[in-house]
């Protein structure tokens, strides 16, 4: 236990700690309140003028608020660290003392000089993590984060964590702490995992790390369980090493258990939300698709008694899982077929009036169609792509149409590399047949008229239409449809058509796609298209933002002064 300050010096130390905690500058800590005020004004003025007072400009104003090492060192010469820690350990009943001292210590430990002192005070951090005081516990958690984040020797910082057995205490605080403390610990454990020696603390060779988390899950209520899932998701995204360690530790089965038990809707939805963020990570598919998660997701989509919110989130998770080329080499094709059957069932239900569920199903198909393997599977192994094409030109529901158009653009290849945009064989034939059949069954009769009708709608629909044309136009049959419709060309070459940056760029990308497809097509040599080709070339050279309006130069105007 650190020595507590005497009663006489406690008041002076608290006043100094309060001044230090509120002192915003990065200059040496002043001894005079007048100097302090002058420096604060000078630094605030400098900051507002955009002048960084520290050479590390990447940290911006957040770094501006930190104390420099010299400032911390000068303050600790006046108020030694053992005295400050002793004040927290004392039983003195002074209003606001804990808040003042913890805020002051947090500023100290935020500096590199303060971090260099932390290894000598591991016992204090350990005691802080065990205390019932929220302020002290929060300080201890942040101290560990500062130690791992700013220590010059990462291995030495991890050694402090190991020596004082801090990792289990952090997990305990994650479970029992409030939302703020839990958020700090999630960042702390993630930072620990980013250090090679730290990853071994979380995932020791004997496998006890997973056993500990498993026991915590089994003994915890719903909120702590979600926090453990969030921790697993955080660790999963650190590196392929930690992702493999989570898989080998069988921690992914915790997600399966949470999703499998659907008696508590809130618990299931919370687990799905964490999983939704997890599957966004690039290497998640490699590990997750080798579990039973996808089949459990399909079961949820097929469960008509499940809430539509849960079914919608499950559908989007499945789409993210299948949005990589590796997915179709990792899992059995029958599993994908079962998923498409489940989605097809949602889209075919005439009584389904839940717009969010329908839009999520369409978005899921778009995610699957982002890869050439996924698009090929959608167009050859199922009739589900029909819903995407038909809904793209159906004005019965704006949200549904918008979701379908974006999905249609993805299936057409707008999100793929240029050499992978066009599909092969049966898939291309089915795509062409779907477009022409949809057009024939509509009042527009032709694909070109259908595409034009999209461009004549509101800006959001029009932007989605630009995406569809950009993907489709690489096909000769669609290029001909577009080029023979002068109104479509007028839309995509008119720089005044769009007023937003997103709209201007989407229109221009569409114009470039048409021009590029035309330049490699035999249509380039048709005399009837010469005017159109010149118009496209001019539009491409002009760029996305420049219009045909002539620039009007400002001219000075000289007037005689008014006299009173």
């Amino acid at each position: 236990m650190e020595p507590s300050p005497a009663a006489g010096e406690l008041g002076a130390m608290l006043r100094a700690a309060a001044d230090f905690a509120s002192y915003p500058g990065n200059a040496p800590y002043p001894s005079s309140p007048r100097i302090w005020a002058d420096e604060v004004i000078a630094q605030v003025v400098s900051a507002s003028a955009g002048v960084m007072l520290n050479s590390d400009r990447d940290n911006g104003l957040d770094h501006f608020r930190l104390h420099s090492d010299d400032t911390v060192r000068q303050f600790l010469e006046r108020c030694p660290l053992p005295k400050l820690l002793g004040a927290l350990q004392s039983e003195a009943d002074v209003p606001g003392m804990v808040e003042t001292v913890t805020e002051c210590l947090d500023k100290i430990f935020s500096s590199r000089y303060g971090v260099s002192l932390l290894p000598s005070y591991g016992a204090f951090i350990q005691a802080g993590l065990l205390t019932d005081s929220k302020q002290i516990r929060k300080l201890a958690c942040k101290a560990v984060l500062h130690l791992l984040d700013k220590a010059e020797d990462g291995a030495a910082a991890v050694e402090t964590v190991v020596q004082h057995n801090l990792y289990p205490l952090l997990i305990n605080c994650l479970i029992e702490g409030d939302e703020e403390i839990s958020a700090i610990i999630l960042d702390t454990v993630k930072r620990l995992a980013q250090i090679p020696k730290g990853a071994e603390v979380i995932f020791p060779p004997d496998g006890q790390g997973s056993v500990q988390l498993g026991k915590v899950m089994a003994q915890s209520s719903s909120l702590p369980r979600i926090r453990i899932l969030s921790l697993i998701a955080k660790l999963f995204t650190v590196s392929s090493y930690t992702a493999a360690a989570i898989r080998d530790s069988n921690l992914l089965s915790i997600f399966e258990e949470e999703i499998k038990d659907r008696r508590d809707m809130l618990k299931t939805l919370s687990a799905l939300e964490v999983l939704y963020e997890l599957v966004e990570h690039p290497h998640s598919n490699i590990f997750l698709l080798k579990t039973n998660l996808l089949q459990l997701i399909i079961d949820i989509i097929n469960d008509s008694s499940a809430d539509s919110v849960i079914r919608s989130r499950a559908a989007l998770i499945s789409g993210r899982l299948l949005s990589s080329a590796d997915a179709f080499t990792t899992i059995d094709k029958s599993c994908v077929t079962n998923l498409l059957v489940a989605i097809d069932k949602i889209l075919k239900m005439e009584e389904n009036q839940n717009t969010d569920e329908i839009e999520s199903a369409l978005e899921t198909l778009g995610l699957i169609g982002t890869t050439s393997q996924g698009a090929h599977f959608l167009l050859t192994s199922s009739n589900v792509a029909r819903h995407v094409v038909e809904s793209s030109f159906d004005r019965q529901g704006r949200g549904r149409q918008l979701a379908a158009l974006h999905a249609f653009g993805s299936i057409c290849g707008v999100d793929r590399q240029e050499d992978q945009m066009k599909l092969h064989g049966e898939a291309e034939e089915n795509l062409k047949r779907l477009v022409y059949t949809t057009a024939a069954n509509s009042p527009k009769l032709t694909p070109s008229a259908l595409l034009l009708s999209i461009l004549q709608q509101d800006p959001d629909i029009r932007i989605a239409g630009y995406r569809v044309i950009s993907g489709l136009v690489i096909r000769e049959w669609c290029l001909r449809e577009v080029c023979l419709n002068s109104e479509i060309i007028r839309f995509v070459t008119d720089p005044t058509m769009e007023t937003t940056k997103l709209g201007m760029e989407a229109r221009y990308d569409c114009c470039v796609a048409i021009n590029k497809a035309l330049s490699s097509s035999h249509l380039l040599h048709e005399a009837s298209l010469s005017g159109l080709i010149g118009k496209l070339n001019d539009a491409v050279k002009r760029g996305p933002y420049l219009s045909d309006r002539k620039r009007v130069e400002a001219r000075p105007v000289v007037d005689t002064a008014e006299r009173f």
Side-chain angles (χ1 to χ4, degrees):
M1 184 171 178
E2 301 296 338
S4 302
E9 62 178 333
L10 181 59
M13 187 184 72
L14 290 180
R15 287 191 295 273
D19 286 345
F20 182 79
S22 59
Y23 177 64
N26 213 5
Y29 185 70
S31 57
S32 165
R34 175 61 185 170
I35 297 175
W36 180 87
D38 291 343
E39 289 182 351
V40 169
I41 293 172
Q43 292 183 35
V44 169
V45 170
S46 297
S48 64
V51 179
M52 292 297 170
L53 299 181
N54 188 280
S55 59
D56 188 2
R57 292 174 179 267
D58 291 339
N59 289 333
L61 289 179
D62 288 336
H63 189 85
F64 162 75
R65 296 187 185 98
L66 299 179
H67 290 69
S68 68
D69 289 345
D70 289 339
T71 303
V72 174
R73 191 178 288 106
Q74 290 177 26
F75 173 76
L76 290 178
E77 289 174 359
R78 297 174 54 196
C79 298
L81 189 55
K83 294 286 186 179
L84 292 168
L85 298 177
L88 291 180
Q89 295 172 318
S90 71
E91 298 180 357
D93 186 15
V94 179
M97 180 185 72
V98 173
E99 290 82 356
T100 299
V101 175
T102 53
E103 188 176 354
C104 173
L105 288 171
D106 183 41
K107 291 291 181 73
I108 292 172
F109 296 148
S110 297
S111 68
R112 292 195 178 277
Y113 177 71
V115 165
S116 69
L117 303 175
L118 283 174
S120 302
Y121 292 90
F124 165 77
I125 298 175
Q126 183 185 61
L129 294 174
L130 290 168
T131 187
D132 292 331
S133 169
K134 174 188 171 181
Q135 289 86 0
I136 297 177
R137 185 182 288 194
K138 177 183 172 183
L139 172 66
C141 293
K142 293 184 75 173
V144 180
L145 178 58
H146 292 318
L147 175 64
L148 296 171
D149 201 36
K150 298 180 180 179
E152 294 183 1
D153 187 348
V158 173
E159 182 59 34
T160 302
V161 172
V162 173
Q163 183 180 351
H164 297 278
N165 201 31
L166 300 183
Y167 175 66
L169 300 180
L170 288 170
I171 298 300
N172 186 60
C173 290
L174 174 70
I175 300 303
E176 298 180 354
D178 61 10
E179 185 176 350
E180 187 178 14
I181 288 177
S182 297
I184 295 170
I185 293 174
L186 287 176
D187 291 337
T188 302
V189 177
K190 180 179 179 180
R191 183 68 189 101
L192 179 64
Q194 290 171 336
I195 303 173
K197 290 290 185 181
E200 295 177 6
V201 174
I202 303 171
F203 302 107
D206 58 8
Q208 290 302 307
S210 61
V211 172
Q212 180 188 10
L213 291 178
K215 287 181 178 179
V216 171
M217 286 288 293
Q219 300 170 1
S220 300
S221 58
S222 58
L223 180 59
R225 291 169 74 89
I226 291 301
R227 289 177 177 175
I228 292 295
L229 293 180
S230 297
L231 176 62
I232 295 173
K234 279 262 188 183
L235 294 174
F236 197 90
T237 62
V238 169
S239 65
S240 57
Y241 171 81
T242 56
I246 288 172
R247 177 202 59 192
D248 296 340
S249 301
N250 202 32
L251 289 174
L252 292 176
S253 63
I254 297 177
F255 281 97
E256 296 180 20
E257 293 169 6
E258 291 295 292
I259 294 171
K260 193 182 300 181
D261 182 11
R262 298 200 291 274
R263 292 172 296 179
D264 186 339
M265 172 188 163
L266 184 59
K267 183 182 78 170
T268 303
L269 183 58
S270 298
L272 288 174
E273 288 295 332
V274 177
L275 184 59
Y276 180 72
E277 298 301 324
L278 176 59
V279 297
E280 190 176 18
H281 199 268
H283 61 241
S284 63
N285 303 49
I286 302 173
F287 300 100
L288 295 178
L289 287 171
K290 295 179 180 178
T291 66
N292 295 322
L293 277 170
L294 183 57
Q295 186 56 55
L296 291 174
I297 293 298
I298 296 172
D299 292 342
I300 292 176
I301 299 172
N302 274 320
D303 186 358
S304 57
S305 63
D307 189 272
S308 63
V309 176
I310 291 180
R311 284 155 56 93
S312 297
R313 186 55 79 195
L316 290 174
I317 290 172
S318 67
R320 284 191 173 184
L321 280 171
L322 297 175
S323 63
S324 72
D326 298 331
F328 291 87
T329 60
T330 304
I331 61 174
D332 191 272
K333 298 293 177 59
S334 62
C335 192
V336 184
T337 301
N338 293 337
L339 171 63
L340 297 184
V341 170
I343 293 176
D344 184 59
K345 191 186 301 181
I346 293 175
L347 295 173
K348 283 198 301 190
M349 288 173 58
E350 294 182 2
E351 66 274 14
N352 191 348
Q353 299 298 318
N354 192 299
T355 305
D356 290 339
E357 191 171 353
I358 293 173
E359 291 175 11
S360 295
L362 291 168
E363 185 178 345
T364 299
L365 297 178
L367 288 169
I368 296 173
T370 52
T371 65
S372 56
Q373 295 91 334
H376 188 276
F377 200 89
L378 289 175
L379 290 165
T380 58
S381 304
S382 169
N383 199 32
V384 73
R386 173 177 60 85
H387 297 292
V388 176
V389 180
E390 291 178 353
S391 297
S392 294
F393 305 102
D394 186 356
R395 292 195 179 191
Q396 297 303 313
R398 182 181 180 278
R400 177 173 183 160
Q401 183 184 15
L402 191 58
L405 281 168
H406 280 287
F408 191 20
S410 297
I411 294 171
C412 291
V414 73
D415 300 317
R416 300 194 289 270
Q417 296 291 332
E418 186 177 349
D419 60 344
Q420 297 179 356
M421 289 180 69
K422 203 169 181 180
L423 304 173
H424 301 286
E426 185 185 358
E428 276 297 324
E429 287 300 319
N430 287 344
L431 177 61
K432 179 180 178 180
R433 179 181 53 80
L434 281 174
V435 174
Y436 275 97
T437 301
T438 302
N441 293 333
S442 74
K444 302 300 181 181
L445 299 180
T446 64
S448 63
L450 273 184
L451 295 173
L452 177 60
S453 70
I454 296 299
L455 299 182
Q456 291 171 333
Q457 296 182 52
D458 67 76
D460 289 338
I461 296 290
R462 195 161 59 242
I463 289 172
Y466 292 138
R467 290 184 78 249
V468 170
I469 296 174
S470 297
L472 273 179
V473 80
I474 195 173
R475 285 95 181 161
E476 183 81 17
W477 58 266
C478 182
L479 179 62
R480 180 175 291 277
E481 291 282 347
V482 168
C483 289
L484 294 179
N485 193 316
S486 59
E487 277 297 294
I488 293 179
I489 301 301
R490 183 182 69 81
F491 267 92
V492 299
T493 58
D494 183 359
T496 64
M497 183 60 63
E498 304 299 333
T499 58
T500 65
K501 182 175 183 293
L502 184 63
M504 293 175 185
E505 292 173 349
R507 179 201 61 78
Y508 179 72
D509 290 342
C510 182
C511 186
V512 171
I514 296 172
N515 193 54
K516 192 169 186 178
L518 192 57
S519 65
S520 58
S521 168
H522 69 274
L523 295 175
L524 183 66
H525 306 294
E526 292 193 10
S528 60
L529 298 180
S530 59
L532 175 148
I533 294 169
K535 196 172 184 180
L536 284 168
N537 286 333
D538 290 342
V540 170
K541 291 177 183 177
R542 191 164 53 237
Y545 310 116
L546 298 179
S547 68
D548 289 324
R549 299 189 186 99
K550 293 182 179 179
R551 183 177 176 182
V552 179
E553 297 289 345
R555 291 184 298 177
V557 178
V558 179
D559 289 332
T560 56
E562 294 183 4
R563 299 184 180 275
F564 296 97

